[in-house]
Amino acid sequence: MSLILAIYGKGGIGKSTTSANLSAAMALKGAKVLQIGCDPKHDSTFPLTGHLQPTVIDVLDSVNFHLEDVSKEDVIHTGFAGVDTLESGGPPAGSGCGGYVVGETVKLLKEFGLYDKYDVIVFDVLGDVVCGGFSAPLNYADYGLIIACNDFDSIFAANRLCLAIAQKSQRHKVKLAGIVANRVDYEFGGTTLLDQFAEKVGTKVIGRVPYHDLIRRSRLAGKTLFEMEGPGKEECTRPFEEMAEYLLAQPQATVPNPYHDRAIFEAIGGWR
């Protein structure tokens, strides 16, 4: 049975870049990995493949939404380090439901019998405030993972995601594996606020990804950090190697105890 991770965070926080490099790191350690992008932007897997691949919705539309006419090869492409990739896609802007798209993707995975074919399945999910549709991967996940920066907006979003995971854990097996600190700059506070938040809600920061231009350039190049060259490569890849080892070794996980929305304002003000 696959280890299933659902990765969330505030919009623009770097989920897709983080997810792709984490998938690559786990694959380089010998795991068979499938990464699923759950965003209409459909660029989650771009660093792994170097191109924007056809989405599940694109393929379904081409066969008049007959699941039986879709093959695995139609929707799954193989990228760096043998990571298989899939993009759910989304409805046209202003119409339809993104949650429906996630649901159709899950149906396809079951149809193909893929839940038992991989060591790890990574859902890279749109959204900082999780609606019912985009919280669907939490129904299947072993662990949720939250990407955040050392600032108020991303911590507020992280708290909302803790609320979603706590709620889902009442009926499903999902727990919170931890928080990944992204764009860490020790000249401007490091991870001080994130560490305090993590302690308060009953989890921990499991990785600290530096604020580094190599990461920006890798995204533009459509490559993982492991394929890049230049100063800072080891500094940038090491956190992903360490997180991969941690997650593959069945990490200690918790059901978070989040703040109420209003209380988080007061708490962060007190940490300032």
Side-chain angles (χ1 to χ4, degrees), residues 32-206:
K32 180 63 176 172
V33 181
L34 170 66
Q35 179 168 317
I36 302 170
C38 302
D39 189 328
K41 190 156 52 99
H42 66 276
D43 65 344
S44 169
T45 59
F46 178 62
L48 290 161
T49 64
H51 66 268
L52 294 179
Q53 66 192 70
T55 70
V56 168
I57 289 301
D58 291 335
V59 174
L60 284 174
D61 185 53
S62 70
V63 296
N64 202 24
F65 287 82
H66 291 154
L67 284 173
E68 66 274 12
D69 293 334
V70 179
S71 70
K72 183 177 75 170
E73 290 72 24
D74 291 330
V75 293
I76 294 179
H77 294 200
T78 301
F80 174 73
V83 176
D84 280 350
T85 65
L86 181 151
E87 291 283 356
S88 294
S95 64
C97 174
Y100 165 79
V101 178
V102 174
E104 290 301 293
T105 300
V106 169
K107 283 182 187 178
L108 273 181
L109 294 178
K110 291 181 177 178
E111 183 78 16
F112 298 148
L114 293 181
Y115 279 110
D116 296 321
K117 303 296 184 184
Y118 292 93
D119 299 311
V120 184
I121 297 176
V122 175
F123 284 93
D124 171 22
V125 193
L126 167 72
D128 46 350
V129 180
V130 181
C131 71
F134 282 115
S135 68
L138 295 174
N139 297 343
Y140 306 94
D142 297 290
Y143 303 112
L145 202 61
I146 297 173
I147 314 299
C149 291
N150 196 55
D151 60 36
F152 172 78
D153 288 344
S154 65
I155 291 175
F156 182 85
N159 190 66
R160 293 283 293 171
L161 292 162
C162 285
L163 284 163
I165 292 169
Q167 183 183 60
K168 288 290 185 180
S169 69
Q170 296 177 23
R171 294 191 176 186
H172 303 280
K173 61 184 177 181
V174 66
K175 293 184 178 180
L176 178 60
I179 296 172
V180 178
N182 197 26
R183 299 170 186 160
V184 175
D185 189 334
Y186 289 100
E187 290 186 16
F188 296 95
T191 60
T192 305
L193 293 180
L194 269 179
D195 288 327
Q196 291 182 69
F197 169 74
E199 181 180 359
K200 293 290 186 180
V201 300
T203 188
K204 62 181 179 179
V205 175
I206 65 167

